[in-house]
Amino acid sequence: MKTLLMHLAVACCLVATVYAEEATIGVYVDAAGTQCTGSTGGGVVTGSVWVNLAGAAAGGITGAEFRVDNNHRPDCTVAVSPDPAALIVLGDAFNLAGTNIAYDTCQTSARVRLFTFTLTENTPSSDIWLSLTQHYRPSNPYYACPLVTLCDGPVFTKVCAGPEANSVAWQALLNPSGSLTADCVPVGVAPTSWSQVKSLYH
């Protein structure tokens, strides 16, 4: 039984590793896409949404589909600007449904900035969580996840860039209370060493 549990633990770690090496779509509280915890100085902050290419999407993307939830939506106004290079933008990343953004050429940079946004507080608030998840109405029901499309036209293969079933893939945090922070990594992915796994079964 102990051996079986260790094998299962290794398998879980391998799954986490694979997920961590796939493309991600991240929401940030700065325009450069480097900060995931910040404050609304003067009630306003400029943020951004980026695709971090990896795994199956390492060679480039032609689009993305997702939404960003805001737990203080009634207290904030968000103005969104898509990447000027985008050919088509449908919907709004920060409304209840979500957005689809598409390019007419393959975007091959290691990071692609899809949107910038300006969030303005209508009412001062703490712990404003910006949570990236799947589009409310996925274009393909078999891909109920935040996703990117590859550069293999005319197929344009879809690749999940986060978990399915309305699970949160990435979070940013504004005006945190106490010691709350948001790390710029996919939600639920953390480094785990083999020695840590073995220690669970000693």
Side-chain angles (χ1 to χ4, degrees), residues 148-181:
V148 295
T149 53
L150 303 186
C151 301
D152 56 345
V155 178
F156 300 111
T157 299
K158 291 177 171 59
V159 176
C160 283
E164 296 184 311
N166 281 308
S167 298
V168 173
W170 191 285
Q171 286 187 307
L173 175 62
L174 289 166
N175 303 337
S177 62
S179 59
L180 282 176
T181 61

Side-chain angles (χ1 to χ4, degrees), residues 97-181:
T99 190
N100 298 75
I101 182 170
Y103 297 84
D104 59 352
T105 59
C106 187
Q107 305 299 298
T108 57
S109 298
R111 305 186 73 214
V112 179
R113 185 164 65 184
L114 302 176
F115 296 93
T116 56
F117 64 88
T118 300
L119 184 149
T120 303
E121 285 185 287
N122 303 321
T123 303
S125 305
S126 60
D127 300 334
I128 301 173
W129 287 99
L130 305 178
S131 303
L132 194 140
T133 185
Q134 70 173 67
H135 195 288
Y136 184 71
R137 296 183 179 88
S139 56
N140 185 324
Y142 293 104
Y143 288 87
C145 56
L147 62 84
V148 295
T149 53
L150 303 186
C151 301
D152 56 345
V155 178
F156 300 111
T157 299
K158 291 177 171 59
V159 176
C160 283
E164 296 184 311
N166 281 308
S167 298
V168 173
W170 191 285
Q171 286 187 307
L173 175 62
L174 289 166
N175 303 337
S177 62
S179 59
L180 282 176
T181 61

Side-chain angles (χ1 to χ4, degrees), residues 66-86:
F66 62 94
R67 78 175 191 268
V68 179
D69 284 339
N70 175 357
N71 65 325
H72 282 273
R73 187 183 305 276
D75 302 323
C76 303
T77 300
V78 183
V80 183
S81 299
D83 179 0

Side-chain angles (χ1 to χ4, degrees), residues 17-97:
T17 301
V18 169
Y19 177 76
E21 292 175 351
E22 288 299 329
T24 56
I25 306 174
V27 56
Y28 301 84
V29 293
D30 66 329
T34 61
Q35 304 296 318
C36 292
T37 303
S39 62
T40 53
V44 179
V45 68
T46 297
S48 53
V49 179
W50 294 72
V51 175
N52 306 295
L53 301 186
I61 62 164
T62 54
E65 176 183 290
F66 62 94
R67 78 175 191 268
V68 179
D69 284 339
N70 175 357
N71 65 325
H72 282 273
R73 187 183 305 276
D75 302 323
C76 303
T77 300
V78 183
V80 183
S81 299
D83 179 0
L87 177 66
I88 298 172
V89 180
L90 302 176
D92 182 340
F94 285 80
N95 73 15
L96 292 174

